[in-house]
């Protein structure tokens, strides 16, 4: 009987355990996680804080007892794996409640340790109320603070996914919100013109935005910025980045790649073939360029879990790479992207051309329609699509999903005009924005 030990019981870890059990009914599977909650939807935590999701327990998919009963998988929460003995094929584990330490043997080890929120070195930070949002317990702490202390204003530091989602949800609660971001524009994975549309939406919704600066010092509720501005805030949400949890892998002398993640091959194996790495802490390759890439999002983690389960049960299904497809709700806007943006294209010195189309999400005469802007980068010689971004009121996600499929299938930008997409007035137009990109590219 094969014994599989998994480190991490959230997205990637819980999924790979379930997937392996589906394909191998006889494997002995043990999962360790240092948190007190498993298999929760981390992406839902800002919406619990904002009161959009009323029952916080609804984002927990299962617990150790249910998982054992349904999947016959042993999950041990509040247990931290301290060390990997690669030669002896054992992990050294500590029970964080009792302090007891023990060893657990494995035939296969799967690392899904996730990442930790980056906390900057800020003078006086201990004098202020500061939170990060990385796990279920973080969510509960923020939620409890807001409900018991009834703060009036907040600063969100960092204009990425979590920062923007928290700004929206805190505003939804009626707080006065200021968003502080180090770079000149927010959402650095987007092109500047798309980011500026999000900034406009933030202003319309009453979120104050200060870019090109950071929190330099705090004195209780007085927050001093690097640009000389002083702000007042009852609390701060720090969301400036995510650091992959690679300490365990580093101690075991597993290779760490240039993105800071654990290097893996197309089957998610590390340089030790009996050890796999998935999720936020794993480094894969870019589907467009082949360069190292790390995407700390839920969808890649679930896909990686499937690949590992397939590989362990005899089906060598290789991963083709990552596109970094993502979508974000910011009040009335939706923004989505896939593949390379303008900055990465320039950094990699790639040949490129761009087609942009602004039009309606569906028939303009239909009452429920919105404006969307679709922007596609492509190689002008091969015509292959390098990346795309879309922003607007509705129908944004489905356009990017089509582009993702086109990239995966190897279609050219010119092929987009030929796609026979769904049309009815509530949903699209006879010439969908996707088709219009193809027509414009051929003309160009």
């Amino acid at each position: 009987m094969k014994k599989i030990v998994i480190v991490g019981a959230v997205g990637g870890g819980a999924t790979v355990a379930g997937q392996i059990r589906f394909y191998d009914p006889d494997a002995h599977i043990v999962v360790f996680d240092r948190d007190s909650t498993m298999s929760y939807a981390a992406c839902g935590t800002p919406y619990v804080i904002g009161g959009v999701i009323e029952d916080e327990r609804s984002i927990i998919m299962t617990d150790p007892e249910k998982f054992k009963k349904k999947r016959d998988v042993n999950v041990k929460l509040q247990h931290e794996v301290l060390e990997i003995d690669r030669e002896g094929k054992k992990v050294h584990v500590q029970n964080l409640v009792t302090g007891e330490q023990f060893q657990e043997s494995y035939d296969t080890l799967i690392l899904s340790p996730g990442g930790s929120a980056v906390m900057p070195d800020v003078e006086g930070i201990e004098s202020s109320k500061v939170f990060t949002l990385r796990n279920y317990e973080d969510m509960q702490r923020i939620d409890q603070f807001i409900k018991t202390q009834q703060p009036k204003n907040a600063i969100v530091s960092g204009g990425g996914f979590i920062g923007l989602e928290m700004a929206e949800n805190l505003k939804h609660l009626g707080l006065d919100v200021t968003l502080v971001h180090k770079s000149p524009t927010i959402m650095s994975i987007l092109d500047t013109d798309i980011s500026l549309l999000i900034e406009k939406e933030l202003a319309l919704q009453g979120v104050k935005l200060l870019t090109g600066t950071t929190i330099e010092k705090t004195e209780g509720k007085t927050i001093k910025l690097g640009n000389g501005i002083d702000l007042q805030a009852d609390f701060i949400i720090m969301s400036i980045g995510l650091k992959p949890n690679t300490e365990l892998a580093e101690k075991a002398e597993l290779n760490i790649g240039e993105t800071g993640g654990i290097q893996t091959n197309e089957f998610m194996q590390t340089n030790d073939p009996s050890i796999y790495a998935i999720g936020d802490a794993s480094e894969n390759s870019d589907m467009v360029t082949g360069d190292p890439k790390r995407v700390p999002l839920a969808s890649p983690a679930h896909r990686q879990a499937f690949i590992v389960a397939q590989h362990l049960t005899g089906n060598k299904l290789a991963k083709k790479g990552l596109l970094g497809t993502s979508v974000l709700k910011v009040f009335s806007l939706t923004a989505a992207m896939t593949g390379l943006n303008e900055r990465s294209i320039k950094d990699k010195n790639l040949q490129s051309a761009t087609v942009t189309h602004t039009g309606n999400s569906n028939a303009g005469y239909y009452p429920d329609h919105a404006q969307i802007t679709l922007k596609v980068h492509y190689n002008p010689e091969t015509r292959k699509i390098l990346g795309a971004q879309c922003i607007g009121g509705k129908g944004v996600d489905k356009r990017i999903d089509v582009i993702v499929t086109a990239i995966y299938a190897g279609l050219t930008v010119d092929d987009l005009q030929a796609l026979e997409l769904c049309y009815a007035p509530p949903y699209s137009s006879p010439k969908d924005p996707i088709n219009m990109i193809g027509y414009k590219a051929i003309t160009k």
Side-chain angles (χ1 to χ4, degrees):
M1 182 188 295
K2 186 184 293 183
K3 185 174 181 182
I4 298 164
V5 170
I6 300 168
V7 179
V10 190
T15 303
V16 77
Q19 288 278 312
I20 292 168
R21 173 59 71 231
F22 183 80
Y23 294 108
D24 185 350
D26 300 319
H28 178 44
I29 307 170
V30 182
V31 185
F32 296 106
D33 197 295
R34 58 190 176 193
D35 287 344
S36 58
T37 312
M38 71 169 289
S39 194
Y40 58 89
C43 301
T45 54
Y47 301 98
V48 172
I49 293 168
V52 177
I53 299 172
E54 295 180 359
D55 178 10
E56 70 170 46
R57 301 292 297 178
S58 68
I59 68 169
I60 300 177
M61 304 298 108
T62 190
D63 58 39
E65 293 73 26
K66 292 176 184 174
F67 210 51
K68 173 66 176 175
K69 186 176 180 180
K70 186 176 181 180
R71 303 290 188 195
D72 191 24
V73 172
N74 297 312
V75 179
K76 298 183 179 182
L77 298 178
Q78 295 180 289
H79 282 70
E80 183 172 10
V81 175
L82 303 174
E83 213 169 290
I84 301 168
D85 175 3
R86 286 171 53 189
E87 189 174 341
K89 299 192 88 169
K90 292 178 287 190
V91 291
H92 193 69
V93 187
Q94 181 173 29
N95 183 323
L96 298 178
V97 177
T98 67
E100 172 200 3
Q101 295 191 6
F102 59 93
Q103 290 185 330
E104 190 84 34
S105 64
Y106 66 83
D107 295 308
T108 298
L109 177 65
I110 302 170
L111 303 179
S112 183
S116 300
V118 175
M119 180 62 77
D121 185 16
V122 175
E123 183 183 350
I125 197 74
E126 67 283 347
S127 70
S128 304
K129 200 66 184 175
V130 182
F131 299 95
T132 58
L133 180 57
R134 184 58 196 154
N135 57 34
Y136 194 84
E137 288 76 15
D138 290 342
M139 176 198 76
Q140 289 180 309
R141 280 190 284 270
I142 297 169
D143 191 45
Q144 186 67 14
F145 174 80
I146 292 172
K147 286 175 178 174
T148 59
Q149 302 301 311
Q150 298 185 325
K152 298 291 189 294
N153 45 47
I155 290 175
V156 177
S157 180
F161 287 101
I162 296 295
L164 288 169
E165 289 168 351
M166 281 306 304
E168 177 181 348
N169 279 282
L170 293 176
K171 197 69 184 173
H172 184 259
L173 293 175
L175 275 72
D176 184 32
V177 180
T178 301
L179 181 63
V180 176
H181 188 63
K182 183 177 182 179
S183 300
T185 54
I186 59 172
M187 283 300 288
S188 58
I189 65 170
L190 296 172
D191 294 342
T192 299
D193 55 341
I194 305 295
S195 294
L196 290 174
L197 293 174
I198 298 177
E199 292 186 9
K200 181 180 178 182
E201 175 69 5
L202 292 174
L204 289 171
Q205 300 292 341
V207 175
K208 301 182 199 66
L209 177 63
L210 295 168
T211 57
T213 190
T214 59
I215 298 173
E216 293 285 313
K217 182 179 180 181
T218 73
E219 297 172 356
K221 294 184 179 182
T222 300
I223 315 301
K224 298 178 178 294
L225 305 183
N227 60 5
I229 293 176
D230 287 2
L231 301 172
Q232 293 295 309
D234 294 322
F235 69 102
I236 300 169
I237 300 288
M238 282 289 183
S239 57
I240 64 170
L242 178 76
K243 181 184 182 299
N245 293 330
T246 58
E247 297 85 355
L248 187 63
E250 290 176 49
K251 280 168 58 178
E253 298 185 346
L254 299 176
N255 292 342
I256 306 300
E258 62 183 67
T259 68
I262 306 165
Q263 276 187 346
T264 62
N265 65 11
E266 68 270 35
F267 305 115
M268 307 310 300
Q269 288 171 299
T270 67
N271 54 295
D272 183 331
S274 64
I275 302 178
Y276 296 75
I278 63 175
D280 295 357
S282 69
E283 177 181 278
N284 307 151
S285 62
D286 189 294
M287 189 182 291
V288 177
T289 66
D291 295 334
K293 192 180 186 80
R294 188 173 61 85
V295 178
L297 296 172
S299 294
H302 284 256
R303 171 70 179 158
Q304 292 159 4
F306 172 72
I307 287 169
V308 171
Q310 288 284 297
H311 195 249
L312 286 175
T313 53
N315 185 12
K316 294 186 176 182
L317 185 67
K319 182 161 182 58
K320 291 189 177 181
L322 295 166
L323 286 172
T325 306
S326 51
V327 65
L328 171 73
K329 177 186 179 298
V330 187
F331 296 100
S332 67
L333 280 185
T334 297
M337 70 151 311
T338 192
L340 306 181
N341 59 21
E342 283 177 342
R343 188 186 312 97
S344 55
I345 288 170
K346 184 178 179 181
D347 290 345
K348 296 175 188 298
N349 294 315
L350 300 177
Q351 278 190 301
S352 72
T354 302
V355 173
T356 302
H357 175 73
T358 297
N360 290 326
S361 57
N362 52 295
Y365 56 80
Y366 190 81
D368 180 22
H369 70 274
Q371 188 179 86
I372 65 171
T373 295
L374 176 59
K375 186 177 183 183
V376 177
H377 305 301
Y378 63 97
N379 182 309
E381 289 190 356
T382 67
R383 315 297 287 178
K384 290 298 175 98
I385 301 168
L386 302 175
Q389 300 178 26
C390 191
I391 189 167
K394 60 178 285 192
V396 165
D397 53 336
K398 79 172 184 176
R399 269 70 188 207
I400 290 298
D401 286 342
V402 172
I403 299 293
V404 170
T405 307
I407 295 174
Y408 192 88
L411 301 184
T412 67
V413 67
D414 306 317
D415 290 327
L416 297 181
Q417 53 79 27
L419 298 181
E420 189 177 331
L421 302 173
C422 287
Y423 163 63
Y427 302 105
S428 184
S429 302
K431 290 195 288 287
D432 189 87
I434 292 284
N435 301 134
M436 291 303 301
I437 290 289
Y439 289 130
K440 287 185 174 182
I442 288 175
T443 303
K444 196 170 181 179

